[in-house]
Every structure is written in C-alpha cells, then in structure tokens.
C-alpha cells in the first residue's frame, strides 16, 4: 500500500512541476505588457530630512515629519514621467532670550522663547531613468524633479509671530531603488535619497532652503 501511495504522490508532484514549467515557458513566449506598453506606478514614502545651507542656519535639527507621494507613467524604454508632492515640517525651540522684534515698522526688545517652524508642500514634475527593464524585480534609478513648493515660514516669539508664506520655485534630484521581490510583481518597496532646494529667502532663512531627505515606503506598479 505504501509503495502505491508513494508512487501517486511522486506522479502528482511530477505533473505539477511539468505544468508549472509549461506555464513559465508559455508566459515567457510573449512579451510582458510592462515591456510593450505605457504602464503605471505609485509610491508613498516616509522620511527624515537633514537641513543644509541656509535652512541649517534657521533650523539645524533633523526633521522626522516628512511624507512623499509620487505617480509615474512608465515607458518601455526604461524612463518615466511623473508628478510628486508631499508634506515636510520641521521645528526648533530656542531658550528664552532678549530679541529685537520689529512689528508694523516699530522696533522693540522682547524677552521670549523662540519657536522656529518651516512647512513645505512640493508640487513637481519628475523625469526618471531606470537601470533595469520594467519587469525587473530590482529597479535602481536616477531622477530629476522640478517645479515649485508652497512654503510657510513662521517664527514665534512667545505669542507673537513673524510669518511669511508663498509658492516658490524648487528642484529635487534623487537616486533610489524599487524592490518587488520577483519579476512582474506589482507590490514592492522603495528607498530614495533626495536633495531638495526651494528658492525661498526670508529673515533667518537665507540663501534658499536646501535639505537632504532619506525616505522609505511602498511602491505599486500595474498595467
């Protein structure tokens, strides 16, 4: 009885393996839609931001509150066009000190705790080039993004506030990697390192607002 059961199990496994091989050969006989057509990818990431240049002179702490959202049109030639946005916020509190504060063209000295804040909401278009084909399980890339960002600069002196906001030009080159686990899988993970420079100058924030953001999140591609 046992030899018969063993033979049945062996035949079942052999048949399953043969069927899988045939499916793989059949699938590989035709080009993937990812390689033939324009397909799509979306990504959502969380990151930390390191201040640089003029931004470091205003707030010199690492920001833990950064989110990014991207959408891309993937072309068979390994490049993509996309749009990206997100939300970036950083804050630093300074100890109580005497500060010369100007309001309505009248200068005065006040003793206050200073709380510096900066919010940025980017709105950019991106161009990316991938070093692996569109079906690959691992896809490293380089990216250049440009457009603008809404900036809110608010520096609190106790209950008083010095505020300026507006939409300014911005650029954001980046490098990254998408990992899907296996070829043609839709859901994957992504890491990215992005240098961002927003051309915003005001009071304590001088010579634009550059930063380096390191982010990680999920990515999903489909056709």
């Amino acid at each position: 009885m046992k030899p018969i059961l063993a033979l049945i199990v062996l035949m079942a496994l052999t048949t399953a393996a043969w069927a899988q091989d045939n499916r793989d050969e059949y699938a590989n006989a035709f080009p993937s839609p990812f390689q033939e057509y324009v397909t799509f990818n979306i990504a959502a990431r969380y990151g930390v931001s390191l201040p640089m240049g003029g931004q470091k002179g205003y707030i010199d702490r690492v920001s833990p509150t950064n989110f990014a959202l991207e959408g891309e049109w993937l072309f068979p030639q390994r490049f993509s066009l996309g749009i990206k946005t997100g939300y970036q916020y950083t804050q630093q509190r300074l100890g109580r000190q005497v500060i010369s504060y100007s309001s309505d063209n009248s200068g005065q000295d006040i003793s206050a705790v200073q709380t510096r804040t900066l919010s940025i909401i980017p709105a950019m278009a991106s161009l990316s080039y991938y070093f692996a084909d569109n079906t690959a399980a691992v896809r490293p890339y380089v990216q250049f993004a440009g457009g603008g960002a809404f900036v809110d600069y608010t520096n609190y002196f106790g209950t008083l506030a010095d505020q300026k906001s507006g939409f300014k030009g911005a650029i954001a080159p980046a490098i990254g990697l998408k990992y899907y686990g296996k070829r043609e899988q839709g859901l994957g993970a992504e890491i990215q390192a992005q240098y961002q420079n927003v051309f915003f100058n005001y009071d304590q924030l001088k010579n634009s607002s550059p930063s380096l953001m390191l982010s990680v999140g999920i990515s999903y591609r489909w056709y």
Side-chain angles (χ1 to χ4, degrees):
M1 188 65 180
K2 289 183 179 180
I4 295 175
L5 290 176
L7 180 60
I8 293 173
V9 171
L10 179 61
M11 291 179 61
L13 292 174
T14 303
T15 302
W18 177 82
Q20 181 64 46
D21 289 341
N22 281 350
R23 283 197 296 269
D24 291 342
E25 290 178 5
Y26 180 80
N28 293 331
F30 297 94
S32 167
F34 286 108
Q35 296 174 317
E36 291 289 298
Y37 309 107
V38 176
T39 54
F40 308 95
N41 188 93
I42 57 172
R45 299 188 307 276
Y46 163 80
V48 295
S49 179
L50 291 72
M52 304 174 70
Q55 184 173 329
K56 192 173 182 179
Y58 176 52
I59 297 176
D60 62 6
R61 293 183 177 178
V62 173
S63 166
T65 311
N66 300 270
F67 303 95
L69 182 64
E70 297 188 33
E72 292 177 280
W73 289 264
L74 304 171
F75 294 85
Q77 297 82 5
R78 296 190 184 181
F79 74 92
S80 74
L81 297 176
I83 54 176
K84 59 191 305 181
T85 185
Y87 177 72
Q88 304 159 18
Y89 177 79
T90 184
Q91 173 183 302
Q92 183 172 1
R93 175 174 256 187
L94 305 180
R96 181 174 294 276
Q97 55 187 296
V98 177
I99 304 162
S100 295
Y101 177 78
S102 178
S103 178
D104 299 328
N105 297 320
S106 61
Q108 57 180 323
D109 292 337
I110 59 173
S111 175
V113 173
Q114 186 177 169
T115 304
R116 298 178 174 183
T117 70
L118 183 67
S119 301
I120 298 175
I121 302 175
M124 303 187 196
S126 67
L127 171 64
S128 302
Y129 178 79
Y130 289 86
F131 296 97
D133 67 56
N134 287 6
T135 64
V138 180
R139 303 196 72 206
Y141 64 87
V142 293
Q143 181 186 89
F144 181 82
F150 177 79
V151 182
D152 179 44
Y153 168 108
T154 306
N155 193 1
Y156 295 95
F157 302 91
T159 58
L160 301 175
D162 180 19
Q163 183 178 29
K164 186 175 180 63
S165 61
F167 191 83
K168 301 294 182 180
I171 58 172
I175 58 173
L177 182 143
K178 291 182 172 70
Y179 175 76
Y180 296 98
K182 62 181 181 179
R183 291 179 66 84
E184 296 195 70
Q185 180 165 294
L187 183 64
E190 180 176 5
I191 58 174
Q192 186 184 93
Q194 171 189 274
Y195 171 81
Q196 176 180 274
N197 195 357
V198 181
F199 302 103
F200 180 89
N201 297 274
Y202 179 72
D203 196 30
Q204 300 295 325
L205 184 54
K206 304 181 186 300
N207 301 321
S208 73
S209 180
S211 63
L212 176 65
M213 187 168 77
L214 307 175
S215 60
V216 61
I218 59 174
S219 180
Y220 182 74
R221 61 184 175 184
W222 76 97
Y223 56 84

